[in-house]
Amino acid sequence: MPFTANIPYASRYSFTIQKHMEDYSTPDDTFHVKVTDADGNVVTGAQYYVHTIGEGAGETQAMPESGVIGLKADQEIVILDVALGATFKVEEVDEDGSAFTSDEFKDPQYSVQTVDGTTEPSTDPVTVTIEHGDGEKVSYIAHVINAYQ
């Protein structure tokens, strides 16, 4: 059964996916990430927005049925009202949801930032479980990093 993010109360948690280039450039290319639960099911019912990092919130929309969301370098996807215990897997893919391929960019690297720090970048897609429960508002951030070939 797919994870459903429709939550009947205001959650203190959000989950953010940020897109970066290793050299801090901001090419005009659109990259795509697929967001699933720990079992690989598309996260249905979730509300999210995409915006440039450091700027105001974008227009809230429902997670697409494919789970694939487009964003550019220095943009982020913010998934709202995430329940404690929710697990997300983030993987960069092509627009159609198939494995990422590019002649221009290297395979992506991933890291995760939590209240405990940031993990070292890895080529393995990240899986994040929202598990911090001290009553503070907490955001978990998955970083997807690309570099030119």
Side-chain angles (χ1 to χ4, degrees), residues 4 6 31 37 46 91 106 117 126 138 144:
T4 301
N6 288 333
F31 298 89
D37 66 14
E91 182 173 12
K106 295 179 182 178
V126 293
V138 177
V144 183

Side-chain angles (χ1 to χ4, degrees), residues 26-82:
T26 55
D28 199 37
D29 299 86
T30 298
F31 298 89
H32 297 86
V33 294
K34 185 170 187 175
V35 183
T36 59
D37 66 14
D39 297 321
N41 300 309
V42 172
V43 178
T44 59
Q47 296 290 306
Y48 76 96
Y49 61 86
V50 178
H51 71 121
T52 300
I53 296 169
E55 294 185 6
E59 181 180 336
T60 301
Q61 43 195 317
M63 184 71 68
E65 288 184 22
S66 66
V68 177
I69 303 171
L71 75 166
K72 297 181 181 225
D74 285 346
Q75 286 189 326
E76 62 185 4
I77 300 164
V78 179
I79 301 174
L80 305 168
D81 296 326
V82 175

Side-chain angles (χ1 to χ4, degrees), residues 11-149:
S11 171
R12 290 184 303 261
Y13 303 96
S14 65
F15 178 58
T16 302
I17 303 160
Q18 293 185 345
K19 180 64 187 171
H20 304 283
M21 293 298 293
E22 189 176 74
D23 66 358
Y24 304 104
S25 65
T26 55
D28 199 37
D29 299 86
T30 298
F31 298 89
H32 297 86
V33 294
K34 185 170 187 175
V35 183
T36 59
D37 66 14
D39 297 321
N41 300 309
V42 172
V43 178
T44 59
Q47 296 290 306
Y48 76 96
Y49 61 86
V50 178
H51 71 121
T52 300
I53 296 169
E55 294 185 6
E59 181 180 336
T60 301
Q61 43 195 317
M63 184 71 68
E65 288 184 22
S66 66
V68 177
I69 303 171
L71 75 166
K72 297 181 181 225
D74 285 346
Q75 286 189 326
E76 62 185 4
I77 300 164
V78 179
I79 301 174
L80 305 168
D81 296 326
V82 175
L84 188 65
T87 298
F88 297 96
K89 180 179 178 185
V90 176
E91 182 173 12
E92 186 161 353
V93 295
D94 284 340
E95 186 174 6
D96 65 1
S98 62
F100 177 77
T101 58
S102 175
D103 293 331
E104 185 177 2
F105 301 104
K106 295 179 182 178
D107 288 343
Q109 293 198 349
Y110 306 88
S111 67
V112 178
Q113 180 179 336
T114 68
V115 294
D116 299 322
T118 302
T119 62
E120 288 297 316
S122 166
T123 55
D124 295 326
V126 293
T127 300
V128 177
T129 300
I130 310 303
E131 57 189 12
H132 194 272
D134 67 1
E136 295 291 321
K137 183 171 181 153
V138 177
S139 293
Y140 290 74
I141 303 172
H143 298 275
V144 183
I145 306 152
N146 280 89
Y148 289 99
Q149 294 279 17

